[in-house]
Amino acid sequence: MVISMTKRIFHSICLVALIVFLAAVALIMGVLYEYFSDVEQAQLKMQTELAAQGVTNEGMEYFSGLKIKDYRISWIDPYGNVLYDSKSDTAEMENHLEREEVLLALSKGYGESRRYSDTLMERSLYSAQKLDDGTILRLSISQNSILMLLLGMVQPIGIVFIIALVLSIALAVQVSKKVVKPLNEIDLDNPLSNEGYDELSPLLRRIDSQQKQLNKQKAELVQKGDELNTIIGSMNEGIILLNPKGKIISINPAAVKLLDASADCVGMDMLSLSRNLDLQEILGDALRGKRGERIIPLQGESYQTNASPIISENIVRGAALFFFNVTEKEKAEQMRREFTANVSHELKTPLHSISGYAELLKNDMVKKSDIVPFGGKIYDEAQRMIRLVGDIISLSHLDEGAADMKHEDIDLYQMAQKAVQSLEPEAAAAGVTIELSGVSVTLNGISHLLYSMIYNLCDNAIKYNHEHGKVTVAIQSGENAVVLSVADTGIGIAPEHQGRIFERFYRVDKSRSKAVGGTGLGLSIVKHAARIHHAKVEVESAVGKGTAVTVSFPDIG
């Protein structure tokens, strides 16, 4: 229990006043009691001397008719026997030789003493005088003890005590307020500007020094907090900090958007923000001190969610949730698995063909007239494998960004003219007409990638065309772009397939693709080459009417 300084001072002053009052009463009563006792003892001595003269002159006759109200007179022989006593029968009284005042009187001529009664309620004063004949005359008087005196003065002392108590309380209130006032008025923001007790100067200087240090630390913390908030706020990954009870103490904008929460969700329970069971499970593990990690679907995408406990002094102080978007990573992993499977499948077919034909030749099971056709089949399948491996190598290189490939200024029209000329025999064999139109445009790019892009687009336009069909290649220069377009009058692509034609090994018509010797990688190479050149690829197609592919290059020539 904390007691304020004002109450402490008030209690102290009241206690001191009470102690002083009681000490003063005891001291004054004791001093006055002894003072009046000494006065009364002196008067008793004087009375003893007067009575001694009377007894010396008159003997026993002195006591005859003597009226004594407050005093007691005893006459004692030298042996301690009481000859006369004004209060008791001498025959029944004990020997007084051992009494202090009697012994003193016998030895010195005069003696006195003071004795309390058995109940300590009275005290008797004794004065003894030795007479000429050796007898002792003793006078005594009784007075109340100091205890009885105090009991008799309870009422006036009580009245004085109450008055003193009221005055002490009033003074204590005023003094305590006055003492504490300078302390309450201390300006802690400017400790050295205060006027108060000199004894407070070291404390104020210490406060000023610590305040400067705290202000410096506060500024550093605010700066670091701002930096941290800026960093966390600009991150694409979601971050949430929670207390040991699972309530949110900090959340960045990315997490707010991801969980579709409100901006004022700080202080809310995480369970009320998201009821995802996987998320609640790993969060529960984190709050129990165990790190959790899981892939959780959020907003239609996949997020790797890590829940880490925040531990201090072996106590879990909270947890931190991190959300990493791994949708592209999962897609890439899926593509890698599909690519591996497709490559294995694509290579297996020609290998089986080559193996089969070679086995027949090896076992001499082929007619001489079939040896050349079989050799042609083996050659065609080997060429198909070579093209496939070449395309795979090209795609792998493009996946790495083609950073080692050299950029140079290229006339795109001349590049297209070269590709068209190389494909004219294939077009003629398929009964397709191929034409080039447009203008000469210089483009800064990678020569063999641009050639491969034009070649693959034209090659597909020829392979998936009708007999007597047409392929039109055009090079145009706009205000901000160079446009390459390849259009055909072929079989076209259905809408549900148009978004996937650039995927590796994806074929709209698998039987036709294999029949014309396609690897299924041509358009993937086009897509990657366009991306490296920051170009945009668009496809327009209608089933049975043909397809037009447009590649728009930014004009950076």
Side-chain angles (χ1 to χ4, degrees):
M1 181 179 179
V2 180
I3 302 177
S4 66
M5 181 179 288
T6 303
K7 288 185 177 180
R8 286 181 180 273
I9 295 174
F10 173 79
H11 292 163
S12 299
I13 293 175
C14 289
L15 180 61
V16 169
L18 178 61
I19 294 173
V20 170
F21 172 78
L22 294 177
V25 169
L27 182 62
I28 292 172
M29 291 295 293
V31 171
L32 289 178
Y33 185 76
E34 289 300 319
Y35 172 75
F36 286 114
S37 295
D38 291 341
V39 171
E40 196 165 11
Q41 186 75 54
Q43 291 178 348
L44 184 62
K45 180 180 180 182
M46 184 175 62
Q47 294 291 340
T48 302
E49 291 175 349
L50 292 174
Q53 290 180 4
V55 172
T56 299
N57 294 330
E58 300 180 17
M60 188 65 74
E61 294 295 328
Y62 177 79
F63 301 109
S64 299
L66 184 63
K67 296 180 179 180
I68 303 174
K69 183 177 181 182
D70 297 324
Y71 295 95
R72 179 180 181 178
I73 298 179
S74 300
W75 190 18
I76 305 166
D77 66 15
Y79 304 105
N81 298 313
V82 180
L83 301 175
Y84 171 80
D85 190 88
S86 61
K87 294 289 178 80
S88 302
D89 185 2
T90 57
E92 297 177 356
M93 296 182 66
E94 61 183 2
N95 190 283
H96 281 40
L97 186 62
E98 297 299 325
R99 303 295 172 88
E100 181 182 357
E101 66 276 7
V102 174
L103 290 173
L104 288 173
L106 288 173
S107 61
K108 296 182 179 181
Y110 176 80
E112 61 184 36
S113 67
R114 300 173 185 180
R115 288 194 294 277
Y116 285 95
S117 64
D118 293 338
T119 60
L120 299 179
M121 294 301 178
E122 286 187 348
R123 190 172 75 160
S124 297
L125 303 181
Y126 295 92
S127 178
Q129 178 73 43
K130 186 178 180 181
L131 304 181
D132 293 339
D133 58 0
T135 59
I136 307 296
L137 183 66
R138 187 186 71 174
L139 267 70
S140 67
I141 187 171
S142 296
Q143 61 176 192
N144 290 329
S145 67
I146 191 168
L147 181 61
M148 286 298 295
L149 187 61
L150 285 172
L151 292 175
M153 297 181 68
V154 167
Q155 184 175 357
I157 290 176
I159 294 173
V160 173
F161 175 76
I162 292 173
I163 295 173
L165 181 63
V166 172
L167 290 175
S168 297
I169 291 175
L171 290 174
V173 170
Q174 294 298 322
V175 171
S176 59
K177 287 182 178 180
K178 188 175 181 180
V179 170
V180 175
K181 184 179 179 181
L183 300 178
N184 291 333
E185 292 178 349
I186 290 177
D187 182 5
L188 295 178
D189 293 331
N190 301 287
L192 299 182
S193 66
N194 295 284
E195 293 182 2
Y197 304 115
D198 292 339
E199 291 80 1
L200 292 177
S201 296
L203 174 63
L204 295 176
R205 285 194 295 270
R206 182 68 178 272
I207 291 175
D208 180 67
S209 175
Q210 290 185 343
Q211 195 168 51
K212 290 178 179 178
Q213 186 176 358
L214 288 174
N215 289 334
K216 182 180 178 181
Q217 293 175 347
K218 179 182 177 181
E220 292 176 353
L221 288 174
V222 169
Q223 181 181 355
K224 290 180 180 179
D226 291 341
E227 292 174 354
L228 180 61
N229 289 334
T230 301
I231 293 172
I232 293 177
S234 61
M235 291 177 64
N236 294 325
E237 293 77 15
I239 299 176
I240 302 177
L241 300 179
L242 304 105
N243 67 11
K245 295 182 179 180
K247 293 188 181 297
I248 299 171
I249 58 177
S250 179
I251 181 169
N252 72 339
V256 170
K257 182 179 180 182
L258 179 62
L259 298 177
D260 196 21
S262 60
D264 58 349
C265 62
V266 174
M268 293 175 59
D269 195 296
M270 189 62 192
L271 182 61
S272 64
L273 193 65
S274 174
R275 296 186 178 275
N276 187 290
L277 295 179
D278 290 335
L279 180 59
Q280 293 299 327
E281 185 176 342
I282 63 171
L283 177 58
D285 290 341
L287 293 177
R288 289 189 291 271
K290 182 180 177 182
R291 189 176 184 276
E293 181 178 311
R294 194 163 297 182
I295 302 295
I296 297 175
L298 295 169
Q299 300 288 351
E301 295 186 316
S302 299
Y303 282 83
Q304 178 178 318
T305 306
N306 296 341
S308 301
I310 300 173
I311 300 175
S312 176
E313 298 178 355
N314 295 324
I315 298 175
V316 178
R317 305 292 184 181
L321 286 174
F322 302 90
F323 300 89
F324 303 95
N325 192 330
V326 294
T327 305
E328 293 300 324
K329 180 181 177 182
E330 286 199 327
K331 287 182 179 179
E333 183 64 21
Q334 180 65 25
M335 287 177 62
R336 184 192 66 78
R337 290 193 296 267
E338 291 178 356
F339 180 71
T340 302
N342 288 329
V343 168
S344 300
H345 178 74
E346 294 293 334
L347 288 175
K348 182 172 66 174
T349 301
L351 281 173
H352 277 310
S353 297
I354 293 172
S355 177
Y357 289 127
E359 185 177 5
L360 291 173
L361 290 171
K362 174 185 174 183
N363 295 326
D364 197 19
M365 297 173 65
V366 182
K367 298 178 182 179
K368 290 185 179 181
S369 59
D370 291 333
I371 292 176
V372 174
F374 274 39
K377 292 287 185 180
I378 293 173
Y379 176 80
D380 290 341
E381 294 296 341
Q383 290 300 312
R384 181 181 172 190
M385 287 179 62
I386 291 171
R387 288 195 301 273
L388 179 60
V389 171
D391 286 347
I392 291 172
I393 293 172
S394 297
L395 274 175
S396 298
H397 198 182
L398 294 177
D399 283 337
E400 296 173 359
D404 58 336
M405 296 184 181
K406 182 181 178 182
H407 283 70
E408 56 185 331
D409 290 336
I410 300 164
D411 189 322
L412 193 61
Y413 184 85
Q414 290 182 3
M415 182 73 70
Q417 192 175 41
K418 187 186 299 184
V420 168
Q421 289 174 355
S422 66
L423 286 169
E424 282 180 348
E426 182 180 335
V432 175
T433 303
I434 183 169
E435 296 180 354
L436 173 65
S437 64
V439 296
S440 178
V441 179
T442 301
L443 183 69
N444 185 269
I446 301 170
S447 177
H448 73 274
L449 287 186
L450 293 174
Y451 179 83
S452 177
M453 181 187 300
I454 300 170
Y455 184 93
N456 279 301
L457 289 175
C458 294
D459 186 44
N460 277 359
I462 293 170
K463 288 178 179 178
Y464 299 98
N465 215 321
H466 298 295
E467 190 176 358
H468 307 300
K470 186 177 182 180
V471 175
T472 303
V473 182
I475 306 295
Q476 302 294 331
S477 177
E479 293 183 1
N480 298 312
V482 174
V483 180
L484 162 67
S485 65
V486 178
D488 63 61
T489 59
I491 62 175
I493 305 170
E496 63 268 21
H497 296 293
Q498 291 180 17
R500 301 191 61 189
I501 60 174
F502 293 101
E503 295 180 10
R504 300 175 187 187
F505 296 110
Y506 186 83
R507 296 184 176 92
V508 176
D509 186 345
K510 295 182 180 180
S511 60
R512 182 181 179 93
S513 179
K514 290 185 178 180
V516 297
T519 64
L521 297 176
L523 289 180
S524 292
I525 294 174
V526 171
K527 176 184 175 183
H528 280 69
R531 186 186 63 193
I532 290 173
H533 287 88
H534 308 289
K536 180 180 179 183
V537 181
E538 295 177 328
V539 178
E540 293 182 8
S541 183
V543 177
K545 295 183 179 181
T547 302
V549 179
T550 303
V551 183
S552 300
F553 298 90
D555 190 4
I556 55 175

